[in-house]
Amino acid sequence: MSPIRSPDGSSPPSRPANSPVSEPGPAENGPPPRPRAPQPSAADTSAPEGTDSAERLGADARTLDERATREMSAQFEDEKPGRVLTGPAGLLLTAAALAVAALALWQVFRPLSQGSKYYLIFFLAGVLPLVFLAYPANLRLRFRRRRPGDTGPPRPVSARPTATDWVLVALAVAACLYPVLPMPLGSGGGGYNAFLDRQGLLAPMDLVLGTVLLLLLLEACRRATGWILPAVCLLFLGYGYYGGLLPQSWPVAHAGLDFSQLVDAFYNSDSGFYGTPLDVAASYIVLFTIYGAVLELSGAGRFFVDLSAAAFRRSRTAAGRTAVASGFLLGTVSGSGAATTVSIGAVTWPLLRRAGYPPERAGGMLAAAGVGAILSPPTLGAAAFIIAEYLGVSYLQVLGWATAPTVLYYLGILLSVEIDARRSGVRPVVIDVGSPWRLLARFGYHFASLIAIVGLLAVGVSATRAVVVATLLAVALSFLDRAHRLTPARLVAALVTGVRGVLAVTAVCAAAGIITATTTKTGLGPQAATLLISGAKAATSNPTLVLVLTALLAAVALSLLGLAVPVTASFVIGWVIVGPALIDLGVSAPAVAMFVFYFAVLSEVSPPTALAAVAAAAVTGGRLVPTMWQTLRYALPAYLTPIAFVITPAGLGLLGIGGAQRIAFAAVVIALSVAVLAVAAGGWLPGVGPAGAPERVLGALAGVTLLWLEPVAVTVGVALAAVAAAGVLVRRQSTGRAGRPRAGSSANLREEKP
């Protein structure tokens, strides 16, 4: 691409596109510098065609930019950054990762005859040891000696696997493979069938190795995601063991389980370590992460961003639209909110800065657009596959349920972008890119594999086979681009990257078995549902209001839960604890599943953690707390739309359920609700002018009322929205001001305090 220009043709002073970003050293007692994203590819200077050396230099520069972006993305994922292994440890990890990938692919076309659980045992045996190689313990951080002239903060010593790590690797292999050990070992061992026959009456060796695996999974989760999820698992474990000591009059009390019963439930049942979450990780997620790595290395990510910039290059709000469209398209590759935020921010933040967006507002836009990656078909987050397994439906059905809410989510962000452009007077930015049609003609083949997934699912091909075929297609098509062709070495890198991407998810999914097994054994799900419903009934006896209050309490609980644990674990816990309450009140299972899914995902933009907002603030250099509040403003409609799934039967239309008339009615009404809420949050009615406090309050009431998809509520909501719009029109006429502030005004560009 050519450099970005202002409309007058002048070029801004800037560093070269691929020059390193230098940060001043911190003050003696000041904080360390904020990590910064690699600088833009939207302002890249392309090498002239026809010279191999220029092409190689351009490709090398792009590779460095992409590598820096990936490294920064890792800092803001649900999981912690892993080690970069070299030498024998690196070779071992590469070989093991290739073996895991080969096993996953083999299981798609030649499933192991002993069944799914047998496969899961080998999959976990291949993945869990790699967690201890790839993720350091970080219990004690050692620093290297400071040298004269070092001005920055001390850096940790390069971590390599320690002796303890290798011991944990050996224990993980032994504990995972013990159920299939063919030889007797005391009163245990004896092969897979003998292990299953001892269900409910474990041998001492079974109990020992089951306990070892329990501790290893907790440590693997701690290394990969932090302390909170292991603490939650221990809380459930303690509840299972000590729950019998609670007063039996309490709703959550139970008869009590001894430790051997708990280990049996975890190690030798279908609801424990080898339950549905791990099955999803081993059967679906690993294949989709490999597919995402293949697409990324084949250049699809860069193409999607370039296409977004080209599509809106002549628009007055080109910068904002490009960021939102890039988030949507990159979501089809990434499936990670924080990673997508960093990727689009590295490219579009220079555009937003030139347009006059303050760092906090730009960061909020980037974070909200990036989180949409987890909501965007066809590669939704891991929880979407768990929904398909829990409900016994095809993955295509889950994609259908997610389509309309995803469109509404991005509609809300786009409307907010348009409102901000008019309210803040952002400057138009001309992006010197080629025609989008030319880009599509040259690189449009990147869409082929995505279309292939949906097409194959539509004709009845399983999701696992569909993604494998799409991966092979993406590999073949990569040879159409010399800079991104997947040679054998790059293909190995893609496979290893894909397997590494599933390490933390696998640890989380296996540990989630502690939660699901404890809930199943103790009956906590129905008890918690009764407690939640009783709390709502304490406030009102009206069945409709009970449902609304229960949904609101569930939304708050899920939002708080999502602040502490990764999205996948948040969904599993929410499904087994909150889900039964809504189902008991007559809400359909698909609506409950999508309700829990959306609030689990939105934890990435919810203060005070808001991983995506933290990543965006690192990219833009903005203040963290204002960036979080701006993110919340952009994503506001997404917090309210899931409520419509559950409070009225008409909300099923948003999920594509209930016939064409219901679907159309729900989509139009909720689109109006999203638009009104965007106006209320942004304080501007496009085409008219600024909205005052009374009009914004009326608009917020209208948007919330429209969520109740019943004729009377819709009529009232439309009337309130009309009154609010009329108030904005009257305000404009009475003040005599133009409907848009003067572009470039420093007063208009000043960031609002949250």
Side-chain angles (χ1 to χ4, degrees), residues 283-284 287-288 291 453 456 462-472:
S283 301
Y284 298 97
L287 298 176
F288 274 85
Y291 169 65
I453 290 178
L456 291 170
S462 67
T464 52
R465 293 198 176 198
V467 72
V468 171
V469 172
T471 303
L472 294 175

Side-chain angles (χ1 to χ4, degrees), residues 271-591:
S271 62
F273 301 146
Y274 303 108
T276 298
L278 181 61
D279 192 11
V280 166
S283 301
Y284 298 97
I285 300 173
V286 64
L287 298 176
F288 274 85
T289 55
I290 290 172
Y291 169 65
V294 166
L295 268 187
E296 181 65 30
L297 287 178
S298 68
R302 178 172 293 273
F303 161 68
F304 291 149
V305 176
D306 291 350
L307 180 63
S308 301
F312 301 115
R313 69 192 190 282
R314 300 189 186 282
S315 167
R316 187 163 67 89
T317 55
R321 290 182 181 181
T322 298
V324 177
S326 299
F328 173 72
L329 291 175
L330 277 179
T332 61
V333 178
S334 171
S336 168
T340 305
T341 298
V342 172
S343 297
I344 63 176
V347 176
T348 60
W349 163 231
L351 304 179
L352 297 170
R353 183 175 58 226
R354 285 291 302 146
Y357 281 92
E360 292 78 14
R361 185 170 295 174
M365 181 193 306
L366 293 171
V371 165
I374 314 178
L375 307 174
S376 301
T379 53
L380 301 172
F385 298 99
I386 299 179
I387 291 175
E389 290 296 312
Y390 277 165
L391 300 186
V393 299
S394 69
Y395 182 60
L396 182 63
Q397 252 185 295
V398 179
L399 293 183
W401 296 341
T403 299
T406 300
V407 172
L408 292 170
Y409 177 79
Y410 278 102
L411 171 65
I413 300 176
L414 280 173
L415 288 172
S416 297
V417 168
E418 299 297 323
I419 289 168
D420 278 353
R422 287 154 178 79
R423 184 184 182 192
S424 300
V426 299
R427 295 182 292 269
V429 174
V430 177
I431 308 173
D432 287 336
V433 293
S435 162
W437 302 111
R438 182 174 298 177
L439 270 176
L440 280 171
R442 176 65 182 87
F443 299 106
Y445 60 82
H446 286 300
F447 286 113
S449 61
L450 295 168
I451 296 171
I453 290 178
V454 178
L456 291 170
L457 290 174
V459 298
V461 177
S462 67
T464 52
R465 293 198 176 198
V467 72
V468 171
V469 172
T471 303
L472 294 175
L473 179 60
V475 171
L477 292 175
S478 71
F479 286 87
L480 296 176
D481 182 3
R482 179 183 300 179
H484 293 96
R485 61 183 57 177
L486 289 174
T487 59
R490 286 171 58 84
L491 183 57
V492 167
L495 292 172
V496 173
T497 300
V499 172
R500 282 203 62 155
V502 85
L503 296 184
V505 176
T506 299
V508 168
C509 288
I514 299 171
I515 297 165
T516 55
T518 302
T519 303
T520 302
K521 281 285 187 180
T522 61
L524 178 61
Q527 293 166 345
T530 301
L531 195 61
L532 193 60
I533 295 172
S534 298
K537 286 183 176 179
T540 178
S541 59
N542 185 289
T544 302
L545 293 179
V546 168
L547 174 59
V548 173
L549 285 177
T550 303
L552 293 176
L553 290 173
V556 172
L558 290 167
S559 298
L560 293 175
L561 177 65
L563 300 179
V565 298
V567 171
T568 304
S570 178
F571 173 81
V572 171
I573 299 171
W575 176 255
V576 299
I577 301 298
V578 174
L582 294 172
I583 291 174
D584 287 348
L585 291 174
V587 181
S588 68

